[in-house]
Amino acid sequence: MKFPSRQRSIASNLTWMNLLVSGIALVLVYISYLAYTVFSIRSAAIESLSAEARVLGANSVSAIVFDDKASAEETLSALRYSGDVLDGEIYTQGGTLFAKYPASGPVPLPPHRMPEMPGPAHWANGADIVVGTRIVLQGKQIGTVYVHAHLEGIRQQALEFAAIAGGILLLCLGVALLVGSSFRRILAQPIISLAQTARMVSRYRDYSLRFTSERSFDELASLTDAFNEMLAEIQQQDRALEQAKVDLELRVEERTSQLQVANRELEAFSYTVAHDMRAPLQTIGNVCYLIMETERTESSEEEKHMVLQLRASVVSMSSMIDDLLNLSLSTSAPLRLTRLDLSSVAGSILQGLAEANPKRKFTPVVEQRCYVNADAGLMQIVLQNLLRNAWKFTSKTEGAQIEFGCTKRGADTVFYVRDNGAGFDQHLVDRLFKPFQRLHAASDFAGTGIGLATVQRIIRRHGGEVWAEGEVEKGATFYFTVDAPRS
Amino acid sequence: MVRARTVAKQVLSHLAMVCVCLCCSAQTTVSVTRSDVEAAYLYNFAKFVQWPEDKAAESQPFSICLLGEDEFGRRLDDLIANETFQGRRIVAKRFSSVAAAESCQIVFIGQSEEARLSKDLAALNTKHVLTVSDLPQFLERGGAIQFLFQNNRVRFAVNLAAAQQAGLTLSSELLKVAVFVEGTSAKEGVQ
């Protein structure tokens, strides 16, 4: 048996409530009955003791008048037939003890038993009762008689009734348990199964569940109806939500494919444009070359200078077209993975740069045996872009140094290209990889602004990532990983 | 042992108390004489005796008479002063001849009447008079109540036949406290 609490089921709480209510009722009944019993026993006892005292008083009149203590004690000795009486005393009007019962033995004199007491009175203290009454002869008080009784019956009654009440309490316990079990069936069971259904619904998110009750009236039925209605509502909303989600996904898919098609078309277009622009540009370049090669005396210095400028523009535009084609290739070309030695690729690019510009002084540092599993053509574009960048931004640096290497970061290999050139502001690093975004003025460093964007696209296609660290005038480092699948 | 000692102590203390009480009562007896008590009893007897109805007598004061030598003096007068009995004033009268005392309700016959006792009683017993005396053999000679002096205390005995002859009814309460009752077996019935 445990005390009712919030954690326990409604059925056991109901049982406890029953028990508690009947227990309290019983205790109240017991207390009031006991009080009533004690009161009635006591008042009856007081009544009878008073009568007894009056009789004793009347019978002791002559004994007092004629100073016959023996007679008075004989009269008092009649008290032995009253079971509850402990002692009795007769006092004369002067207040001296005249006779007592029992004749031998001490006489208890509680302070309240004043012999000068004016009239009949009684005192009660628990089961102890003292009754006093005047002894009157011819209208004059000649003495007082007291009778002291201990009402053993009161205690006995209380005990007996306590036993009866205890028995009834046990009976009530049994009845409460029985009633509780029937309550479980009638009242608690529907609530319990309602709670179970609610738990199932919340656990499995199954809003198609319904709670069935065999009863069609009372609050419980309306509760279950409301519960079921709520479930239906939720189910409907759930369905609508699901439908909306499906619709949204379909729409996204549709838009994505539309976007992809548009993108592909755009790229194909830009590729075609770039590719087709190459041939006329080549022609312009060739013509410039022929003009410069042909010895024309009449041509002035100014004309020669203009042709040189034209040629430089053709070269610049040609490299721009190359870059655009590379950017286009970086997304559209299929990946052909091979095992590559990036160190030798980097070495040959740096060597090419050095040979093309024999006047520039710089120190190439290439770490050997940096291998990667990647598309050879695309990785060539990546390294070309990064190393050319480094070359470009160290053009104004004394003691320029361009470094390629690889380190381990966990299971990945991180490749890097480092230079000690112009560097960049680390705060603007996000703009580095966006196409056509430039951190430096075109007058300082020539460039199209799409090289790093191309690098990022290629690395991402290989499942890797690229990032940069730099500081203005202290150089920059570009890192990348290549997480290409093995096959 | 401790218990026994406690009980002994209690008994001792009670004995001491009883002694004190005895001393007290001895002192009271010193100040209250035998005559005082007898005078009081004389007056109190009236309350336990029923006289036959007599309209003429009831209009008169209730008379307690002393026949012969006065043994009480002022005491009796002091005692009954301002007292009434059944609405009647109580008076004390003193007579030397029995003829004058015949209208009294209670007659105390003094020591001096010893010689005339039989004549006195014969006269009074035909009237409704309660005769009282402390003369020896008073009851045997036809008196109703005789004072006795026992254990330093005033007691009394009753001759019920004599009282009945005088037409008086004595209350059982009175008989209860009497040392003995002659002329009936009533005393034996009261236990």
Side-chain angles (χ1 to χ4, degrees), chain B residues 49-53 124-130 160-170:
Chain B
V49 176
Q50 201 183 341
W51 278 263
E53 276 193 32
L124 292 172
N125 278 351
T126 57
K127 308 291 178 203
H128 305 312
V129 176
L130 180 69
L160 195 59
Q164 279 167 349
Q165 198 192 331
L168 306 178
T169 312
L170 300 193

Side-chain angles (χ1 to χ4, degrees), chain A residues 16-243:
Chain A
W16 269 107
M17 198 176 72
N18 264 332
L19 215 61
L20 204 68
V21 167
S22 47
I24 287 170
L26 264 177
V27 168
L28 284 178
V29 165
Y30 173 66
I31 289 170
S32 45
Y33 179 79
L34 197 64
Y36 170 74
T37 306
V38 167
F39 177 76
S40 58
I41 286 182
R42 196 182 270 172
S43 38
I46 287 167
E47 196 69 26
S48 83
L49 283 175
S50 297
E52 208 160 350
R54 277 196 294 276
V55 169
L56 287 175
N59 286 339
S60 343
V61 167
S62 61
I64 294 170
V65 168
F66 298 109
D67 193 27
D68 191 345
K69 290 185 182 180
S71 169
E73 274 172 359
E74 197 178 296
T75 304
L76 277 182
S77 71
L79 286 172
R80 67 173 173 267
Y81 301 115
S82 306
D84 290 334
V85 172
L86 294 180
D87 55 84
E89 295 83 35
I90 291 174
Y91 288 86
T92 60
Q93 186 60 4
T96 51
L97 181 64
F98 182 68
K100 63 190 195 306
Y101 164 84
S104 58
V107 176
L109 260 183
H112 57 258
R113 252 193 272 187
M114 298 299 292
E116 302 85 16
M117 183 197 68
H122 65 266
W123 301 267
N125 178 22
D128 272 309
I129 286 175
V130 175
V131 167
T133 190
R134 286 181 289 190
I135 302 173
V136 177
L137 175 62
Q138 308 261 316
K140 279 178 69 180
Q141 184 176 358
I142 58 169
T144 317
V145 59
Y146 295 95
V147 176
H148 174 209
H150 182 77
L151 303 176
E152 187 57 38
I154 284 183
R155 217 166 61 99
Q156 214 163 332
Q157 282 261 346
L159 286 176
E160 272 171 22
F161 193 66
I164 291 170
I168 293 174
L169 196 64
L170 280 177
L171 199 71
C172 281
L173 192 114
V175 170
L177 285 176
L178 275 175
V179 170
S181 69
S182 74
F183 258 116
R184 178 189 281 275
R185 196 162 44 74
I186 294 168
L187 196 65
Q189 198 53 51
I191 293 176
I192 290 168
S193 47
L194 187 64
Q196 276 172 349
T197 310
R199 222 176 292 136
M200 293 271 283
V201 166
S202 77
R203 185 178 300 165
Y204 300 113
R205 304 253 178 275
D206 183 359
Y207 301 112
S208 64
L209 283 173
R210 289 291 179 275
F211 177 72
T212 47
S213 168
E214 62 267 32
R215 288 183 308 166
S216 55
F217 46 92
D218 82 9
E219 292 88 342
L220 213 58
S222 62
L223 181 68
T224 60
D225 285 349
F227 181 72
N228 284 339
E229 273 169 31
M230 230 151 62
L231 274 181
E233 185 80 13
I234 290 172
Q235 194 184 11
Q236 201 181 328
Q237 286 179 1
D238 200 41
R239 263 194 218 127
L241 211 64
E242 196 69 32
Q243 190 57 46

Side-chain angles (χ1 to χ4, degrees), chain B residues 94-158:
Chain B
R94 292 165 179 83
F95 300 108
S96 50
S97 83
V98 70
E102 281 175 6
S103 64
C104 298
Q105 275 72 47
I106 297 174
V107 174
F108 181 83
I109 302 171
Q111 300 277 343
S112 59
E113 292 294 309
E114 166 94 71
R116 291 183 294 276
L117 186 59
S118 301
K119 194 176 67 95
D120 289 346
L121 286 174
L124 292 172
N125 278 351
T126 57
K127 308 291 178 203
H128 305 312
V129 176
L130 180 69
T131 54
V132 184
S133 177
D134 53 5
L135 285 167
Q137 307 294 311
F138 182 64
L139 298 187
E140 285 84 342
R141 291 152 80 176
I145 296 176
Q146 179 185 344
F147 284 126
L148 303 169
F149 199 64
Q150 289 180 339
N151 303 325
N152 215 23
R153 282 156 58 90
V154 178
R155 311 297 313 142
F156 62 87
V158 173

Side-chain angles (χ1 to χ4, degrees), chain A residues 29 90 149 152 256 266 293 312 327 340 372 394 438 442 476:
Chain A
V29 165
I90 291 174
E152 187 57 38
T256 307
L266 203 63
E293 287 304 303
L327 183 67
L340 269 178
V372 76
T394 51
R438 296 191 42 130

